[in-house]
Amino acid sequence: MERVTYHLIHLTNLLFMEIDLKYSVQTRISQTFATLKQQNKKALIPYIMAGDPNPSVTVDLMHELVSAGADIIEIGLPFSDPMADGQVISLAGERALNAGTSTKKAVQMVGEFRKTNTTTPVLLMGYLNPVEIIGYDDFLTLCAQNGVDGLLLVDLPPNETDDTLSKRLADKRINQIFLLAPTTQADRRQAVLKHGTGFIYYVSVKGVTGSKALDTDEVARQVQSIKADTDLPVCVGFGIRDGESAKAVAKFADGVIVGSELVKNFAGVAADDEVAIAAARATLLAKMDELRLAIDDA
């Protein structure tokens, strides 16, 4: 009887160790959300494509985003077949690829950013194919060496994420972010809540990035439902285009993610046109000011 009791206690301790592994690992992302919660503020998370319109722009732009109020930066990894992205971001990926940006170079841009900024979290959003070509271990090592804080691979669903990968990410203090959408089935939702760390990325519309239809009342209901099942912050992206929509979403979400509205400023800008690039950056940063003010006023 004593031996059975010992084994039960041992198994229980192991179970709690596994739970602690997921939730006790502190990352820049978790620390940022904790600080924002103490300040009663919501996160502004801008998305830009690495290497758009040329590789020399990205790192300086990341610093400018922080100065304009970004709490977390989401960096797109350029890919030739981005299934979740609309035209704006798809074309941005093409521009970046044409300018010579690879997945490895994109990750190394985060390392350059880290030379002078060691506090702002950086999340990578991309697709599985380039990661498999590089190799999971080599890719995760590259991310850790360059100060990446989160990883969102659109076509790596939570039911295909095993505990080995989750542990590797936790060991390297990298959060694994998953998407939840209005069409997500109950079993997939539970898998996302089980395996996801850092925050939950809620896709606000049925469609790709840049979609226009945004029903904030319905998004609010969905976010509240998710929050009832998880302690993770819930951030909303897709379809947020201006200060008005950002403010509406910030009233109930923990963070607002804006991509296409920023990225579109580089559309049609030649990689070597410094005047046009400077103008596009100025317009993008003006939009950031609008979004930051609106979110803080929510």
Side-chain angles (χ1 to χ4, degrees):
M1 183 64 182
E2 290 181 357
R3 180 174 297 178
V4 172
T5 302
Y6 169 80
H7 285 301
L8 285 174
I9 293 172
H10 181 62
L11 288 172
T12 301
N13 288 338
L14 287 176
L15 174 61
F16 279 107
M17 285 175 63
E18 289 179 4
I19 293 173
D20 289 344
L21 174 65
K22 176 180 175 181
Y23 292 108
S24 66
V25 174
Q26 292 294 309
T27 65
R28 272 184 283 251
I29 291 176
S30 62
Q31 290 169 352
T32 293
F33 278 111
T35 299
L36 289 171
K37 186 175 183 179
Q38 290 175 348
Q39 298 172 346
N40 196 30
K41 295 180 65 176
K42 304 299 180 71
L44 172 56
I45 307 176
Y47 168 104
I48 58 172
M49 178 64 69
D52 178 34
N54 71 62
S56 68
V57 170
T58 303
V59 176
D60 287 343
L61 182 55
M62 291 172 71
H63 288 297
E64 290 173 333
L65 290 172
V66 174
S67 296
D71 297 296
I72 298 171
I73 299 175
E74 184 178 6
I75 298 293
L77 300 176
F79 181 54
S80 57
D81 189 22
M83 65 187 73
D85 294 312
Q87 185 178 37
V88 170
I89 291 180
S90 294
L91 291 175
E94 290 183 14
R95 291 193 296 270
L97 290 171
N98 290 336
T101 306
S102 65
T103 298
K104 287 184 178 180
K105 288 181 180 179
V107 178
Q108 289 165 351
M109 291 175 188
V110 181
E112 286 296 312
F113 175 74
R114 283 280 170 251
K115 290 181 178 180
T116 50
N117 183 313
T118 60
T119 57
T120 303
V122 178
L123 162 68
L124 299 182
M125 181 175 182
Y127 296 87
L128 193 55
N129 184 270
V131 176
E132 290 191 331
I133 291 173
I134 295 171
Y136 282 97
D137 287 336
D138 288 345
F139 178 74
L140 294 181
T141 298
L142 181 68
C143 287
Q145 290 174 342
N146 286 279
V148 172
D149 303 290
L151 186 61
L152 196 171
L153 296 173
V154 176
D155 49 353
L156 178 62
N159 57 297
E160 294 184 14
T161 299
D162 60 22
D163 291 337
T164 300
L165 177 58
S166 297
K167 186 178 186 306
R168 288 174 182 167
L169 289 165
D171 288 344
K172 296 181 184 300
R173 297 187 179 276
I174 298 174
N175 289 126
Q176 188 171 21
I177 315 297
F178 289 107
L179 300 171
L180 277 180
T183 55
T184 301
Q185 298 297 311
D187 57 342
R188 175 65 66 86
R189 170 172 156 154
Q190 290 305 312
V192 166
L193 299 182
K194 174 184 176 182
H195 292 287
T197 62
F199 68 91
I200 300 297
Y201 189 135
Y202 181 71
V203 177
S204 61
V205 296
K206 298 177 183 178
V208 294
T209 55
S211 299
K212 295 182 180 180
L214 180 63
D215 183 344
T216 53
D217 290 338
E218 175 59 23
V219 175
R221 285 192 289 271
Q222 294 284 353
V223 169
Q224 289 164 2
S225 176
I226 296 167
K227 282 177 166 290
D229 292 334
T230 181
D231 292 330
L232 290 174
V234 181
C235 301
V236 175
F238 289 46
I240 300 170
R241 314 181 71 82
D242 51 25
E244 181 180 0
S245 55
K247 180 178 179 178
V249 169
K251 289 182 182 297
F252 52 80
D254 298 297
V256 177
I257 304 166
V258 182
S260 295
E261 194 64 24
L262 303 178
V263 174
K264 73 176 187 180
N265 291 291
F266 292 115
V269 175
D272 59 352
D273 190 339
E274 294 184 5
V275 174
I277 291 172
R281 285 165 69 161
T283 304
L284 184 157
L285 293 170
K287 177 60 67 172
M288 280 289 295
D289 290 338
E290 175 190 342
L291 294 167
R292 182 74 268 174
L293 288 171
I295 291 171
D296 289 344
D297 193 43

